[in-house]
Each structure stands twice: as structure tokens, then as C-alpha cells.
């Protein structure tokens, strides 16, 4: 990272960094009691010749003697290039400024101070009963109160460790703080503060996946609150860009949502990691550094200073459009472009500056037609039941704080597979009620979610399902719940319209279509319900087709 990436005369960049949920990039290996501590307290030693060193802070200044030429196996081979050492240690360990004997050890004198920052040191902590820590929890499958946390509560410590211990390509420091200022925020974060008067609760205020038996997931309300928070931070006008940190399986979904909803011209970038921070060959640190490089370079900005690429995911030295990327494997390099058309918007350039390689054709951020600032305050939803009838109901989706968490749309994904239909194949017409899960979900949505819908991951590329599933989803449509059809998996073909009461998902994956349908419901509300969703009249069908056309326009352009 170099300061000369900044355009001449540009103000110093300021980047907002958000800690999102279940983020491996903010996760660290378990703190295991070192053999130094075990030997000191008479505990059984772990196998292995050396202790793992963990970043910690000194409590007092210390003077150390470092053996000269020990930083590299061939350092001593070039000894003639070096200045004399600071002194020598004799056989008894006494320090001398003049070499006392031929066998004395040359050393450098290092003065360590708490103000220096973190140092890698053996971990000396033990459990309250005096035993060694062997894992994060006091015992296997322990309750939350008996388990420590491995996720950082925000990214402040992550950035400190990257800058303190990271090495740039030519042996110089990773100078994050020399090229930008950072402000750290928590939005459905991965770690939480559980002690004190303002203690937070797992599964409500923060969301982890490790220890695995304590896994928790944020809900729709948390997505609304995070959206409001990101928009409010950017509305201050103080920030050059946003870095969002989240778990690798879902970071692309959240960033696509932000690219639809957040009204901003600054770059929105997401980062994830396949390996925990501090672990062998951890990839997240480099992703963070690359994100800072991308934002501060200004390469994403047009002549008006606004981002041309919208929300992106930056991993493995590539910048992906959030709409067009998905995780396919749990390893670095495990992301691929979906939809078969473009997707990699920039290359980080290795030693050189970032370069744009592709400009998204879809609408995003400040050009999105579902961005937060243009959403109406109220829309019309639907309520009732399939038996008793469906009626329209006004839903307030926005207030002074932004999205209303309780109004967030509920969109379910149903997947087509051959030989799954329960009928004989001779039913004419198909019996929609055989799709009991879909029918039950329709009634549950009508009872509890006035804004709701379905995504059907059907045949590639058309999105159609078997006749029975199609019939059940038609009931959903005429009950006011829009249905989007997408192809299976990461199809590169377009899901063309075969029935105008269904929305074509274009080349979106089912998970991305879900995010766009949620945004569309906030923009347009529910479809007009038929008096009998199982048997709509021609006039009711025409009204539905007209309403669906609005949805289709969004899916064709976003």
C-alpha cells in the first residue's frame, strides 16, 4: 500500500468499516494455553517443540537481546554488508559493547514499550479452576456463559493487527493508516460484549458460527437495521467508501442488497475470508488491504466522482460485481462469476494500480430504482387466508429512521427437481394442494407477512417447474404474492418469460433474485389479489399481468 495511489490534491480518504455477521475474516483461532504457562503452573504439556505466538500487549517496558543474523538463513552470508552489532553476550549471558571473546554472540538491543502496540507472545491464560484452555469453551458443547468468543466485536483490532504484523510485498509495512482514516461500526456484528450494564445477547445483538453448537443467524429485521445504519453513515458525507465484512457464503447477497438499496456514489465493497485471521495462509487480511487500495485509487469513480461499478465483493485480488458472484468452494479462489456474462469489474494489478475490466450494465446505488431514498413510505400488502379470502392492507415500510424492520418482505425459495411431484402425471388440471409446503407457506405469509413472495429455482434456463408446483405458485401469485422464476444453479442463460403472471429472474441466481424481489416488494407492494386465488377471472388475470410488468422491468434492469 503506497501513499502515491492517492490522486494529487485529493482530500485524505476516510473509510467506514462495518462488522457484519458470522465473518470468518473477523474470526481467530481458539486461544490455547501455551506450554510456557503449562510448565509454569505444572500442567501437562502439549505436543510440539514450539509455542504458538498470539498478539498481546506488554504491561511494562522490556529490554531484549536479539541474536544478529537470525532473521534469514543467508543473512550471515552477507555479513560484510552490515554495520557492527550493538554488542555481544558472553558465555554467561552478560552484555558487552566490546567483543569479549571469539565465541561471544553478536546481538542487537531492542527496547520494547507498551506504546509500541501488539507483540507476538505465548498465550498464558488458564481457566478459572487453574486448568489449561484446550478449546474456546470451558468444556465441549458448553453454554454461551461458559464459552469465550473467537470473533472480534468490530474490525478495529483486525486492522491494527494487519498493520502491525502484515508485510507489504517489498518488506515494508502495510500502511493502512498512512493512506486513509477509518471509522469502525457494528451492524449485526460477529462478536458481542456480554458483560456490564449494556450487555449484548448472542442471536439478538451479534451472530457467530463458532463454537459450532452456538451458531446463530440474523433475521430480516437485522438486515433492515443494517441498511439504515449504512445509509445514515454515508448520509454524513464524510466517507470515501465502505468496507463490509461478513461470512464468505453470504457476503455477496448482502452487498447486492446494499447495491440496490443504498443511495450513494461512493464505492461499496465487501470482504470475506475462507480461513480465520491469524491462521496459516489466512486470506482475509490481503482482501482488506486490497479493498483499501481499490477505494483510495479512485479507479471506480466517473468524471463526477461517483462509483461506476456499484457494490462489489473484493477477494483473491479480484473485484467482482456483487450481483454476479457467488461462493462455490471453501478455499481461496472459491468465488466464481455467475450468470455467464461479465462479473469481474477490476483487477487489483499485483504490484501495479487497480484496473477496471468491466462496467456493469445493471442499475445500482445512486441509479437504482429501489434505493432507499425513492421508496414510498407505505405500500399495499395482503392479509387473510386462502380459505377465508385475501384482502389488501396498507403497510408502512419507511419511517424517520429508514426501513421499518417489522415490514421487511418474506421471500421463500422453492426448488424444482424431476421426479419430485406427488401426482401420477395424469392429473388434469394439476392439483395445486399437493404442494403442501407451498400452500402452507402462502397461508403463513398471509397471516404474518403482508409483503411476501416466492422464488422458484426451476429448469435451466427458463425457471419453469413441474405442473403441480407451477399450479401452487400460481395460487401464490393470485393471492398477491409475486413469484420469480430462475434457472437452476448458476445458469448462464436467461430465464425468459413463458407466462406473464410470473416474473422472469433473468440470469440471477435464486438467492440474488430473492434479494431483488424483497426490494421490489418494498417499491411496489403486493400484487392485486383475486377473489379466489385458485380460479382467477380473466379481468383479475389481466390486472395481475399489469402489476407483474412493473416487477419485470426491475428484474430486466437491476
Amino acid at each position: 500500500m503506497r501513499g502515491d495511489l492517492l490522486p494529487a490534491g485529493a482530500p485524505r480518504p476516510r473509510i467506514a468499516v462495518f462488522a457484519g455477521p458470522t465473518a470468518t475474516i473477523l474470526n481467530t483461532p481458539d486461544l490455547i494455553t501455551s506450554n510456557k504457562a503449562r510448565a509454569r503452573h505444572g500442567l501437562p504439556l502439549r505436543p510440539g517443540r514450539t509455542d504458538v505466538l498470539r498478539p498481546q500487549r506488554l504491561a511494562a517496558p522490556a529490554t531484549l537481546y536479539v541474536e544478529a543474523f537470525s532473521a534469514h538463513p543467508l543473512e550471515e552470508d552477507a555479513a560484510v554488508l552490515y554495520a557492527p552489532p550493538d554488542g555481544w553476550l558472553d558465555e554467561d549471558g552478560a552484555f558487552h559493547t566490546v567483543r569479549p571473546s571469539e565465541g561471544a554472540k553478536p546481538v542487537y538491543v531492542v527496547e520494547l514499550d507498551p506504546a509500541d502496540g501488539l507483540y507476538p507472545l505465548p498465550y498464558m491464560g488458564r481457566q478459572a479452576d487453574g486448568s489449561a484452555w484446550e478449546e474456546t469453551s470451558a468444556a465441549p458443547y458448553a453454554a454461551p456463559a461458559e464459552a469465550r468468543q473467537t470473533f472480534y466485536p468490530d474490525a478495529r483490532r483486525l486492522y491494527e493487527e494487519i498493520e502491525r504484523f502484515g508485510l507489504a510485498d517489498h518488506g515494508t509495512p502495510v500502511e493502512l493508516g498512512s493512506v486513509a482514516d477509518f471509522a469502525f461500526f457494528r451492524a449485526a456484528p460477529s462478536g458481542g460484549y456480554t458483560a456490564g450494564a449494556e450487555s449484548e445477547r448472542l442471536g439478538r445483538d451479534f451472530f457467530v458460527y463458532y463454537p459450532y453448537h452456538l451458531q446463530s443467524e440474523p433475521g430480516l429485521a437485522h438486515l433492515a437495521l443494517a441498511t439504515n445504519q449504512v445509509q445514515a453513515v454515508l448520509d454524513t458525507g464524510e466517507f470515501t467508501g465502505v468496507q463490509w465484512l461478513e461470512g464468505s457464503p453470504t457476503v455477496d447477497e448482502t452487498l447486492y442488497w446494499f447495491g440496490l438499496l443504498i443511495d450513494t456514489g461512493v464505492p461499496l465493497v465487501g470482504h470475506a475470508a475462507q480461513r480465520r485471521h491469524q491462521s496459516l495462509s489466512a486470506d482475509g487480511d490481503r482482501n482488506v488491504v486490497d479493498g483499501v487500495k481499490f477505494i483510495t485509487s479512485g479507479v471506480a469513480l466517473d468524471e463526477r466522482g461517483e462509483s461506476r461499478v456499484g457494490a462489489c465483493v473484493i477477494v483473491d485480488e479480484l473485484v467482482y460485481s456483487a450481483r454476479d458472484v457467488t461462493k462455490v468452494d471453501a478455499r481461496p479462489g472459491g468465488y466464481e462469476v455467475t450468470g455467464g456474462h461479465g462479473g469481474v469489474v477490476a483487477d487489483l494489478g499485483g504490484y501495479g494500480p487497480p484496473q477496471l475490466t468491466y462496467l456493469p450494465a445493471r442499475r445500482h446505488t445512486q441509479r437504482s430504482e429501489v434505493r432507499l431514498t425513492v421508496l414510498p413510505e407505505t405500500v399495499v400488502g395482503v392479509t387473510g387466508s386462502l380459505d377465508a379470502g385475501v384482502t389488501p392492507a396498507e403497510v408502512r415500510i419507511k419511517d424517520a429512521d429508514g426501513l421499518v424492520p417489522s415490514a421487511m418482505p418474506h421471500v421463500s425459495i422453492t426448488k424444482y427437481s424431476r421426479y419430485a411431484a406427488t401426482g401420477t402425471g395424469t392429473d388434469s388440471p394439476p392439483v395445486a394442494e399437493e404442494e403442501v409446503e407451498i400452500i402452507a407457506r402462502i397461508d403463513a405469509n398471509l397471516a404474518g407477512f403482508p409483503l411476501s413472495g416466492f422464488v422458484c429455482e426451476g429448469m435451466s434456463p427458463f425457471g419453469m417447474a413441474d405442473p403441480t408446483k407451477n399450479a401452487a405458485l400460481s395460487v401464490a401469485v393470485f393471492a398477491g404474492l409475486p413469484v420469480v422464476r430462475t434457472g437452476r444453479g448458476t445458469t448462464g442463460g436467461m430465464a425468459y418469460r413463458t407466462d406473464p403472471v410470473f416474473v422472469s429472474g433473468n440470469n440471477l441466481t435464486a438467492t440474488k433474485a430473492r434479494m431483488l424481489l424483497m426490494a421490489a416488494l418494498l417499491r411496489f407492494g403486493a400484487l392485486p389479489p383475486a377473489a379466489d386465488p385458485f380460479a382467477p377471472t380473466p379481468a383479475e388475470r389481466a390486472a395481475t399481468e399489469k402489476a407483474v410488468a412493473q416487477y419485470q422491468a426491475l428484474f430486466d434492469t437491476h
Side-chain angles (χ1 to χ4, degrees), residues 54-205:
R54 306 299 292 266
Q56 295 168 81
R57 302 192 191 280
L58 297 178
T63 300
L64 299 182
Y65 300 109
V66 177
E67 182 178 346
F69 309 123
S70 62
H72 191 283
L74 292 177
E75 201 179 5
E76 191 169 9
D77 192 63
V80 295
L81 302 177
Y82 284 74
D86 296 327
W88 289 262
L89 297 182
D90 62 25
E91 291 80 356
D92 297 323
F95 177 75
H96 303 267
T97 57
V98 177
R99 190 172 188 173
S101 64
E102 187 65 26
K105 184 179 294 184
V107 295
Y108 300 116
V109 180
V110 182
E111 303 290 344
L112 305 184
D113 191 274
D116 297 338
L118 298 163
Y119 280 100
L121 298 164
Y123 181 68
M124 304 297 287
R126 294 173 295 137
Q127 294 198 48
D129 63 2
S131 62
W133 286 106
E134 302 291 357
E135 57 179 281
T136 286
S137 301
Y141 306 106
E146 298 178 326
R148 298 173 297 169
Q149 295 185 57
T150 57
F151 292 85
Y152 290 158
D154 63 27
R156 187 181 307 274
R157 176 65 175 255
L158 173 69
Y159 281 51
E160 180 184 3
E161 291 184 15
I162 291 174
E163 192 159 28
R164 179 71 167 142
F165 302 116
L167 275 176
D169 292 315
H170 296 291
T172 54
V174 176
E175 298 173 341
L176 294 178
S178 69
V179 298
D181 295 322
F182 299 91
F184 298 97
F185 302 92
R186 304 173 69 232
S190 301
Y193 299 97
T194 59
E198 307 251 342
S199 66
E200 297 172 322
R201 194 170 72 196
L202 174 66
R204 183 192 66 185
D205 305 304

Side-chain angles (χ1 to χ4, degrees), residues 90-436:
D90 62 25
E91 291 80 356
D92 297 323
F95 177 75
H96 303 267
T97 57
V98 177
R99 190 172 188 173
S101 64
E102 187 65 26
K105 184 179 294 184
V107 295
Y108 300 116
V109 180
V110 182
E111 303 290 344
L112 305 184
D113 191 274
D116 297 338
L118 298 163
Y119 280 100
L121 298 164
Y123 181 68
M124 304 297 287
R126 294 173 295 137
Q127 294 198 48
D129 63 2
S131 62
W133 286 106
E134 302 291 357
E135 57 179 281
T136 286
S137 301
Y141 306 106
E146 298 178 326
R148 298 173 297 169
Q149 295 185 57
T150 57
F151 292 85
Y152 290 158
D154 63 27
R156 187 181 307 274
R157 176 65 175 255
L158 173 69
Y159 281 51
E160 180 184 3
E161 291 184 15
I162 291 174
E163 192 159 28
R164 179 71 167 142
F165 302 116
L167 275 176
D169 292 315
H170 296 291
T172 54
V174 176
E175 298 173 341
L176 294 178
S178 69
V179 298
D181 295 322
F182 299 91
F184 298 97
F185 302 92
R186 304 173 69 232
S190 301
Y193 299 97
T194 59
E198 307 251 342
S199 66
E200 297 172 322
R201 194 170 72 196
L202 174 66
R204 183 192 66 185
D205 305 304
F206 63 98
F207 306 91
V208 307
Y209 64 79
Y210 188 85
Y212 298 121
H213 68 285
L214 299 179
Q215 179 185 3
S216 58
E217 281 285 325
L220 287 170
H222 298 103
L223 179 60
L225 294 171
T227 305
N228 296 343
Q229 186 179 4
V230 173
Q231 186 69 67
V233 167
L234 289 177
D235 283 346
T236 64
E238 299 175 5
F239 294 96
T240 312
V242 165
Q243 289 180 284
W244 174 272
L245 311 180
E246 188 176 335
S248 56
T250 56
V251 64
D252 61 309
E253 295 177 42
T254 305
L255 262 293
Y256 180 50
W257 172 263
F258 287 157
L260 294 170
L261 270 290
I262 301 299
D263 191 350
T264 184
V266 307
L268 302 175
V269 301
H271 304 299
Q274 310 285 23
R275 297 170 182 155
R276 292 202 239 181
H277 174 61
Q278 300 177 358
S279 65
L280 182 65
S281 198
D283 54 312
D285 297 3
R286 182 58 181 259
N287 294 338
V288 165
V289 173
D290 283 344
V292 175
K293 179 180 179 180
F294 178 75
I295 292 171
T296 59
S297 73
V299 69
L301 307 181
D302 61 18
E303 64 278 358
R304 296 172 298 178
E306 296 183 340
S307 175
R308 294 177 285 177
V309 297
C312 298
V313 174
I314 299 181
V315 290
D316 309 322
E317 299 187 42
L318 292 174
V319 184
Y320 295 92
S321 167
R323 181 189 185 276
D324 303 316
V325 65
T326 193
K327 177 182 175 179
V328 296
D329 197 6
R331 57 178 172 79
Y335 288 87
E336 289 186 2
V337 171
T338 57
H341 307 277
V344 177
V345 301
D347 183 279
L348 269 300
Y351 296 134
Q355 299 183 53
L356 288 188
T357 56
Y358 158 81
L359 290 178
R362 310 289 178 160
R363 302 180 72 90
H364 56 73
T365 52
Q366 73 274 18
R367 298 191 302 114
S368 169
E369 293 180 7
V370 288
R371 64 191 185 275
L372 194 56
T373 52
V374 301
L375 293 179
E377 291 189 358
T378 63
V379 294
V380 175
V382 286
T383 187
S385 70
L386 292 176
D387 288 336
V390 182
T391 57
E394 186 176 74
V395 182
R396 176 165 293 279
I397 63 150
K398 259 185 14 178
D399 59 19
D401 296 322
L403 294 176
V404 176
S406 60
M408 286 290 282
H410 187 288
V411 174
S412 303
I413 298 176
T414 183
K415 188 176 178 73
Y416 157 77
S417 58
R418 178 141 288 169
Y419 313 119
T422 56
T424 64
T426 60
D427 302 326
S428 183
V431 181
E433 289 88 344
E434 288 183 0
E435 283 289 343
V436 293

Side-chain angles (χ1 to χ4, degrees), residues 19-44:
T22 62
T24 299
I25 197 169
L26 291 170
N27 196 15
T28 60
D30 309 49
L31 288 168
I32 305 300
T33 303
S34 67
N35 278 344
K36 293 282 188 187
R38 293 167 192 258
R40 181 180 180 87
H41 297 283
L43 298 172

